[in-house]
Amino acid sequence: MNFLRPTLLTLACLLALPSHADDLPSLGDASSAIVSPQQEHQLGRAWLSLLRGNVSQLSDPQLKDYVETSVYRLAETSQLQDRRLEFILIDSKELNAFAAPGGIVGVNGGLFLNAQTEGEYASVLAHELAHLSQRHFARGVEAQQRMQLPMMGALLVGIIAAAAGAGDAGIAAIAGTQAAAIQEQRRFSRQNEQEADRIGIVNLEKAGYDPRTMPTMFERLMRQYQYSAKPPEFLLTHPVTESRVADTRNRAEQAAKGGVEDSLRYQLIRARLQLIYEGTPGLAAKRFRALLDDNPKLDAARYGLALAQIKGGQLNEARESLKPLLAKAPNDITYNLAQIDLDITNNRLADAQQRVDRMAALYPRNYPLQQVRADLLLKQNRPAEAQKALETLLKSRPDDPDVWYEVAETRGLAGNTIGLHQARAEYFTLVGDFDQAIQQLDFAKPVQATISRWRRRSMHASARFWNSSGWSRK
């Protein structure tokens, strides 16, 4: 983990670069003169690659698609001007979400376990987007203009510690060495938290949610962790007090009645997360069955049961569990993706292909469907077609390391050795392992040279043939 120290200093130095014409500070925004939005963007992307290389992540396409779609929905009605967002989903049961400079949005799997409704989940992310729209990082630096550049890097280390959770002792230890800088940052945190709450409530209502879900989330968390010796990281960086709950409750009650509190789609995604963090598929199936016994109409529990049965190898039982869901909503993408997964697991590849084709006509740009189509092509031993499918997906997800990883593997199976090394270089760049990225490009050089020599020899041999035969190729 020691490589983070010099790298963070390098990233911090980005803030000292002279601003170009398009980086001019906004009128009335003194913080832009200290850290321009473009500098924040560059710093955030560089920092994200470091974070990706140091925390375990959730690569489930359906989960990623839900988070991205829901956050963009909130961003559309927010004050966020730069909506070039990037996401990281961290494989941790601990409750946490964060927003880093430059539009980086992080979500722990534990947020879904703790947020019982979509409104509660959205309230947390509306709060985090408010931190971005109000540029709290840049404003904090503005308030501390004499802060040395290494201290600026330490601010990002604090975010890494929050993102990684208490389990990553290495990163937390580095953050501890910069305690003075983090303490300076926290001088402004209370005011920033209040502002993010206030703006988050307004934006929740604008996005069509019930803003009362924010104080409801805070109240439950306060009760849940009131006597906990070690509260989750989110509550350490976003302390929930009675005054904060009362303030958000008073503001939310001023809004008109109505708004979305929950959705079936959120509960389906939540069931996927619950299965990920369950001890075994059998335990998950038992819990979902218990929920169905209490309420046979609970579709999310039936969906979770089907997923647990697929994972546990109970394929006939899973087919029966999915039947009523598909009968009720035959074109639902989530249910159909589960059926495709079941058919692939059961080696019914023709049935899976037929369903993929039908869904593609309905949802041509759906990321999870595009991914499963490539997976199915590989199962059918059609790597060249899978490669084309993934390269199409890359057009909409050029900065997704999970997609680049799949592209590399598929190019290798298709015999595209140069493409394999190039894709691996892209992957390692996105996860901050630049040594490996350079090494992959070095691996590609001899292959490229060999191909070039072969092409030259082929052209020369062809020319000799035509010249000796007296024929013209025209």
Side-chain angles (χ1 to χ4, degrees):
M1 304 299 294
N2 291 335
F3 77 96
L4 280 175
R5 288 194 180 98
T7 307
L8 281 171
L9 295 182
T10 303
L11 296 183
C13 288
L14 287 172
L15 301 180
L17 294 175
S19 295
H20 299 287
D22 59 350
D23 294 335
L24 292 175
S26 303
L27 292 176
D29 181 10
S31 61
S32 293
I34 308 299
V35 185
S36 76
Q38 183 59 26
Q39 287 169 334
E40 273 195 356
H41 176 82
Q42 293 170 345
L43 184 58
R45 294 311 184 273
W47 171 79
L48 176 60
S49 68
L50 296 181
L51 181 58
R52 282 172 171 160
N54 285 278
V55 295
S56 298
Q57 293 155 70
L58 295 166
S59 57
D60 183 341
Q62 292 189 62
L63 174 60
K64 290 164 62 179
D65 184 63
Y66 178 82
V67 170
E68 292 166 11
T69 302
S70 60
V71 173
Y72 275 119
R73 174 185 173 184
L74 289 167
E76 285 176 2
T77 56
S78 74
Q79 296 78 15
L80 193 64
Q81 294 182 356
D82 187 349
R83 296 177 184 172
R84 293 175 295 173
L85 303 177
E86 288 287 345
F87 301 87
I88 180 167
L89 277 63
I90 297 176
D91 185 4
S92 170
K93 293 174 66 176
E94 185 174 353
L95 167 65
N96 199 22
F98 63 91
I104 309 303
V105 178
V107 174
N108 278 22
L111 176 59
F112 289 89
L113 302 181
N114 284 272
Q116 295 183 0
T117 65
E118 183 177 9
E120 292 183 3
Y121 157 87
S123 71
V124 172
L125 290 171
H127 172 98
E128 296 302 330
L129 286 178
H131 281 306
L132 290 181
S133 68
Q134 302 309 300
R135 302 196 63 219
H136 284 156
F137 171 77
R139 286 164 58 185
V141 174
E142 176 201 356
Q144 305 167 69
Q145 293 187 32
R146 296 180 182 178
M147 181 188 246
Q148 296 179 353
L149 287 177
M151 295 299 187
M152 295 181 188
L155 297 182
L156 295 183
V157 177
I159 301 175
I160 290 180
D168 196 324
I171 296 177
I174 297 174
T177 65
Q178 308 290 350
I182 295 173
Q183 184 61 34
E184 287 297 308
Q185 181 197 28
R186 286 176 177 169
R187 288 185 184 180
F188 305 94
S189 63
R190 181 174 298 180
Q191 179 182 349
N192 291 346
E193 289 302 302
Q194 290 174 345
E195 185 175 41
D197 286 345
R198 174 176 57 81
I199 292 173
I201 285 174
V202 171
N203 291 336
L204 271 177
E205 185 178 16
K206 285 183 180 178
Y209 291 102
D210 184 348
R212 294 164 186 80
T213 54
M214 180 180 285
T216 299
M217 176 76 167
F218 289 163
E219 287 167 352
R220 190 162 43 73
L221 291 177
M222 188 170 65
R223 290 193 303 269
Q224 185 174 345
Y225 296 103
Q226 186 173 7
Y227 303 108
S228 176
K230 188 179 180 182
E233 186 66 35
F234 182 78
L235 296 185
L236 293 176
T237 55
H238 303 71
V240 177
T241 62
E242 290 185 3
S243 61
R244 185 181 180 190
V245 171
D247 183 57
T248 54
R249 175 64 68 187
N250 290 336
R251 291 182 182 277
E253 289 299 337
Q254 295 174 22
K257 298 289 185 182
V260 173
E261 293 185 24
D262 201 9
S263 72
L264 175 60
R265 189 182 179 210
Y266 176 78
Q267 293 302 330
L268 296 177
I269 292 295
R270 193 163 180 249
R272 295 183 71 84
L273 262 294
Q274 290 169 336
L275 177 60
I276 289 173
Y277 292 117
E278 198 71 71
T280 65
L283 287 175
K286 184 177 180 180
R287 186 171 57 80
F288 286 126
R289 279 197 196 95
L291 291 173
L292 282 172
D293 289 341
D294 292 337
N295 183 2
K297 296 182 179 180
L298 202 58
D299 289 344
R302 192 173 303 280
Y303 170 74
L305 175 60
L307 295 184
Q309 289 167 333
I310 294 172
K311 193 173 181 180
Q314 298 176 300
L315 304 186
N316 292 332
E317 292 86 344
R319 196 171 300 278
E320 292 302 314
S321 295
L322 284 174
K323 274 184 181 178
L325 298 177
L326 287 166
K328 185 186 297 186
N331 293 329
D332 182 89
I333 185 65
T334 305
Y335 299 153
N336 277 278
L337 284 169
Q339 183 64 52
I340 292 167
D341 183 24
L342 171 59
D343 286 337
I344 292 176
T345 304
N346 206 20
N347 206 34
R348 298 174 64 164
L349 303 185
D351 291 342
Q353 185 66 61
Q354 184 178 11
R355 193 173 294 271
V356 164
D357 292 341
R358 187 171 74 83
M359 287 294 104
L362 297 173
Y363 307 97
R365 289 181 293 275
N366 182 267
Y367 160 43
L369 184 61
Q370 288 177 293
Q371 180 65 64
V372 80
R373 178 172 178 266
D375 295 340
L376 178 57
L377 289 169
L378 287 176
K379 276 278 188 180
Q380 296 170 320
N381 197 27
R382 297 156 67 184
E385 294 175 68
Q387 178 181 330
K388 290 181 181 179
L390 286 171
E391 286 171 355
T392 299
L393 180 57
L394 272 180
K395 294 177 182 178
S396 59
R397 305 185 68 83
D399 299 319
D400 189 331
D402 293 329
V403 177
W404 276 111
Y405 185 91
E406 294 290 336
V407 168
E409 298 302 303
T410 305
R411 285 179 178 176
L413 292 172
N416 182 358
T417 307
I418 293 177
L420 160 68
H421 292 304
Q422 290 174 338
R424 284 180 177 173
E426 293 282 358
Y427 168 79
F428 284 122
T429 299
L430 289 169
V431 299
D433 194 339
F434 301 108
D435 289 340
Q436 284 272 26
I438 293 171
Q439 188 178 53
Q440 290 298 320
L441 293 176
D442 287 339
F443 288 156
K445 288 179 182 177
V447 180
Q448 181 66 60
T450 300
I451 292 175
S452 297
R453 287 195 300 272
W454 179 84
R455 285 176 176 169
R456 286 196 299 270
R457 290 173 182 171
S458 296
M459 291 174 64
H460 292 157
S462 177
R464 287 195 300 271
F465 169 79
W466 290 108
N467 290 336
S468 63
S469 65
W471 286 84
S472 171
R473 284 174 290 176
K474 293 182 180 180

